[in-house]
Amino acid sequence: MKYIKEHIMFIFPMLAILLGIESSMVFDRMSRDYEKDLKADYSMLVLANTPMKLSGFQQLDRRISSMSRIEKRTIVQEMAQGMSGISAEDIMQALPHFYTIHFGRYLDVQEIDKIKHALVASEGIEKVETFGKSHNSSYHLFIFIKVVLWTFVGFMTFTSLFLVIKQMEIWQFSHRERMQVMEIFGASTMLRSGILFKRAMIDALIATVLTSGLFAFLRFVWIKQSHIDLLMQKEALLFAYEDIAILGGIAMSIVITSVIIVVIGSKERKL
Amino acid sequence: MANIISASHLTLGYGNNDADIIKNANFKIKKGDFVFITGPSGSGKSTLLRSFYGQLRPKSGNLLVGAQDMGKISKKKLQELRTHFGIIFQDYKLINEWSVAKNVVLPLVIAGYNADVQETQAKRLLKHVKLSEHADRLPLELSGGEQQRIGVARALAKNPTLILADEPTGNLDEYSSNVIWDLMENANEQLDATVVVVTHRIPNIFSIPYRHLIIENKGIYEVH
C-alpha cells in the first residue's frame, strides 16, 4: 500500500504537468488551424497597369507568398457583345491587369494596411482592394486565450515540479542508507542514484501513457460518440502520435532534472 | 615497507567551533600491518576511522592515505580511492532489500564487473565465510554473526589493499567474534591487505603479529 501511495504521489503531479502541456499543444494546433483557415480566406485584389510577376510583388513585400492572374477575356467578350463599335480587344487593352495575392501567414489589420500602402505606392499599381472577413477580434481572443493557457500551464508545471522534487526527496530519504553504503564503497553519483532514476522513469512512463491514452480516447472514441460536427471535423487536432514522444521526452527531462537537483543537493552523512 | 596511512600533527573534529576529538596526532601504518586502535568510549576511535575513508576531513595537520592528502582530496579521487578499501561496520550496513549474494558483490557492482564475474565471486566469497546456503536470502533473515560475515565478505570482494573495521565484533557473541577475527587474520596473511580495526577490546586469542595504537586524551600512542 505504501509502495502504491509513493508512486501515486509522484504520478499525480507528473500527470498535472503532462495534461497541461498536452492541452496547450491541442490548443496550439487549433489556433494554428484557425490561422490557416483565416489565411486561406484572405486575399487582396490588385489592379496593375503593367503585367506583374510574383517576384515583383515579393520585392514590394516579402509576406506575399503567391499570386494568381484573374482571367478577364471571358468577361470582356460578354461585355463586347452588348456594345457596338467596340471590339473585345479594345476593351482588353483598356482594362488593367487583375491579380489576387495571398500571404504566407495570417496578418492583422495593421499589417494588411502597411502592405496595401506599399503596393499602392508602387509605380504600375493602380488600385488595391482587400477582401475577406475581418477576423481580427476573434484572432486576438485566440491569442489571449493561448497566453492565459500557457501562463496557467507554466504555473501548474512549476508547482507540480516542486511536488515531484519533494516526492523524490522522500524516496531519497527512504533509500538514504543504501545510497550512503554505496557511496562509502566508492559508487558514483549516477550509480547510487540509480534507484531514484529507475523509479521516477517508470512513473514518468506511466504518466505519459495515461495522458496519451486519455487524449487518444478523446480523439478516437469520445468524439465519434459525441456527434458534435465541429469536433468530428477537427478530431486530428485533439491527438497526434508524435505527442507521445513529446510528452515522454518532457517527462524524462523533468525526471532527470529532478533527480539531479535532489542528488546534488544532498551531502554525505556519517554512517 | 611503504606507509599506507601517515598522519602528522593531525587534528580532527566535527566543526570548526566544536572541541577537537583528536589533537596533534602523529603515527604511521605500513602496508601489510594489522593494527588495533583502542580507547575508551567517545575517545574518537570511529572518528579517526572515518577520516581514513574520507568522511571527515582533518581540521589541521596532514593525513595521507594511499599517498592521497585527505585534506585536499577531490570528490572524484576520493571515490576512486574508496574502491580500494574494504570497510566493515559494527552494525553491518548491509542493503536489506538485496540478497546476501548481491550484498557481497557490491564493490564489484560498483566497479562495473559483469554478472558472470559477480556470480562466480559471490559463490567464492560466500563459501569463504561459510554462508553458501544463504546466497538467495535477505540479510535480515540471518543472525547478527552471519550478517557480519556478509559484511566481511563484502569487504574482501575486490581484494582491498586496506581493510577498515569499526568495532566488527561489537554486537556479536564469542563464537561469531572468533569467526570474524579468523577471517580478518586470513585477509591480512593471505591477501596481504593492511587491516585497521577499531575496537574497545583486543581478542584474547590472536595468532598473527599486530600493532596496537591507543587513543588517550585526544592523542594517539603506540603500545609496545
Side-chain angles (χ1 to χ4, degrees):
Chain A
M1 194 64 200
K2 192 184 161 212
Y3 181 80
I4 294 169
K5 197 180 153 196
E6 277 182 1
H7 279 273
I8 286 174
M9 295 294 278
F10 190 90
I11 290 171
F12 271 15
M14 280 298 289
L15 264 179
I17 295 172
L18 296 185
L19 284 172
I21 288 168
E22 178 65 16
S23 306
S24 305
M25 287 198 296
V26 169
F27 195 81
D28 211 44
R29 275 197 290 266
M30 283 179 170
S31 61
R32 263 189 279 134
D33 185 69
Y34 181 68
E35 274 180 30
K36 211 170 104 187
D37 288 347
L38 289 179
K39 192 184 76 182
D41 259 5
Y42 210 93
S43 63
M44 269 186 191
L45 178 70
V46 178
L47 278 72
N49 295 327
T50 52
M52 299 273 298
K53 286 183 175 169
L54 178 63
S55 55
F57 281 118
Q58 284 177 331
Q59 269 177 9
L60 297 171
D61 197 292
R62 300 299 303 170
R63 285 168 289 194
I64 297 168
S65 64
S66 63
M67 58 147 261
S68 53
R69 205 159 68 88
I70 297 171
E71 192 48 68
K72 54 189 181 188
R73 186 170 294 277
T74 325
I75 306 164
V76 168
Q77 276 169 351
E78 279 177 23
M79 283 169 70
Q81 280 170 8
M83 300 168 92
S84 55
I86 301 171
S87 71
E89 234 16 74
D90 291 339
I91 299 172
M92 284 280 282
Q93 291 212 339
L95 281 176
H97 301 273
F98 296 91
Y99 300 95
T100 45
I101 55 172
H102 296 271
F103 305 100
R105 62 178 176 84
Y106 176 70
L107 305 168
D108 61 27
V109 171
Q110 284 80 15
E111 287 176 297
I112 293 284
D113 279 346
K114 268 190 189 170
I115 295 169
K116 193 176 170 183
H117 283 116
L119 291 173
V120 169
S122 162
E123 210 177 306
I125 292 178
E126 206 171 285
K127 200 167 185 187
V128 177
E129 284 296 334
T130 53
F131 294 98
K133 292 167 272 179
S134 171
H135 293 282
N136 210 38
S137 55
S138 49
Y139 182 72
H140 278 143
L141 182 68
F142 240 97
I143 296 287
F144 174 73
I145 294 171
K146 204 151 91 169
V147 170
V148 169
L149 189 68
W150 276 110
T151 309
F152 175 70
V153 168
F155 177 75
M156 206 162 69
T157 303
F158 181 76
T159 313
S160 302
L161 203 61
F162 181 74
L163 291 174
V164 165
I165 291 172
K166 279 287 148 207
Q167 185 55 40
M168 202 130 356
E169 279 174 354
I170 293 169
W171 285 354
Q172 194 198 28
F173 185 77
S174 60
H175 294 285
R176 192 178 60 192
E177 189 149 311
R178 172 202 294 208
M179 290 167 79
Q180 283 174 348
V181 169
M182 292 178 89
E183 186 169 15
I184 291 294
F185 280 89
S188 65
T189 308
M190 284 301 286
L191 187 65
R192 62 178 188 268
S193 311
I195 181 78
L196 297 183
F197 277 110
K198 195 175 153 192
R199 271 190 161 200
M201 280 181 176
I202 290 170
D203 288 357
L205 202 68
I206 292 171
T208 305
V209 169
L210 288 176
T211 310
S212 308
L214 175 69
F215 279 83
F217 171 80
L218 291 178
R219 178 184 165 176
F220 297 112
V221 181
W222 181 79
I223 279 190
K224 285 186 174 60
Q225 291 167 357
S226 73
H227 302 296
I228 304 170
D229 286 345
L230 188 70
L231 284 177
M232 286 167 84
Q233 284 161 17
K234 303 281 182 186
E235 61 160 31
L237 300 177
L238 259 184
F239 178 74
Y241 288 110
E242 58 259 32
D243 290 2
I244 302 173
I246 295 169
L247 292 176
I250 290 170
M252 289 302 162
S253 311
I254 290 171
V255 161
I256 291 165
T257 311
S258 311
V259 175
I260 289 170
I261 290 171
V262 169
V263 170
I264 287 176
S266 66
K267 285 182 183 163
E268 187 177 354
R269 290 177 179 85
K270 67 181 166 99
L271 279 169
Chain B
M1 280 285 199
N3 292 322
I4 195 155
I5 298 175
S6 167
S8 67
H9 306 290
L10 176 68
T11 297
L12 297 173
Y14 284 101
N16 281 334
N17 299 324
D18 294 342
D20 297 333
I21 296 168
I22 302 287
K23 200 168 182 181
N24 207 24
N26 296 284
F27 62 91
K28 285 179 171 63
I29 294 173
K30 289 187 171 63
K31 192 174 177 336
D33 278 355
F34 196 114
V35 182
F36 284 107
I37 299 173
T38 63
S41 295
S43 60
K45 304 186 291 291
S46 297
T47 300
L48 180 65
L49 205 73
R50 275 187 205 120
S51 72
F52 294 164
Y53 58 83
Q55 215 174 39
L56 183 71
R57 299 213 171 204
K59 274 173 96 172
S60 64
N62 281 320
L63 174 64
L64 299 178
V65 178
Q68 295 290 339
D69 185 340
M70 299 306 279
K72 294 174 186 162
I73 192 166
S74 68
K75 223 172 170 180
K76 183 97 188 145
K77 276 260 165 69
L78 179 62
Q79 199 176 298
E80 206 276 323
L81 183 70
R82 282 173 173 176
T83 61
H84 300 288
F85 297 168
I87 305 171
I88 302 163
F89 300 93
Q90 183 178 5
D91 55 352
Y92 329 126
K93 300 285 181 217
L94 300 173
I95 297 173
N96 294 324
E97 302 85 19
W98 286 7
S99 69
V100 166
K102 193 167 178 191
N103 264 285
V104 162
V105 293
L106 173 67
L108 303 179
V109 173
I110 289 168
Y113 285 89
N114 66 40
D116 289 343
V117 175
Q118 288 177 27
E119 199 184 327
T120 312
Q121 283 293 85
K123 278 183 186 158
R124 184 185 68 79
L125 289 159
L126 288 173
K127 192 177 169 194
H128 183 62
V129 297
K130 297 181 177 61
L131 285 173
S132 296
E133 71 277 22
H134 299 305
D136 297 324
R137 294 176 74 180
L138 295 174
L140 289 178
E141 295 169 2
L142 306 182
S143 70
E146 288 168 329
Q147 287 188 56
Q148 192 57 298
R149 274 145 66 192
I150 302 169
V152 174
R154 178 179 65 183
L156 300 176
K158 227 177 125 241
N159 293 339
T161 49
L162 176 64
I163 296 173
L164 303 168
D166 189 1
E167 301 274 13
T169 59
N171 290 338
L172 305 182
D173 58 35
E174 199 179 338
Y175 169 78
S176 297
S177 299
N178 289 337
V179 173
I180 298 299
W181 293 129
D182 279 347
L183 288 169
M184 306 234 324
E185 282 180 16
N186 282 341
N188 180 244
E189 277 192 322
Q190 289 166 15
L191 301 176
D192 200 25
T194 308
V195 182
V196 179
V197 181
V198 158
T199 181
H200 61 279
R201 195 169 60 85
I202 296 174
N204 297 326
I205 307 158
F206 207 72
S207 55
I208 60 168
Y210 63 87
R211 287 173 60 201
H212 181 192
L213 298 177
I214 187 163
I215 302 178
E216 249 177 21
N217 300 322
K218 299 181 183 177
I220 299 176
Y221 310 96
E222 177 120 27
V223 180
H224 296 285

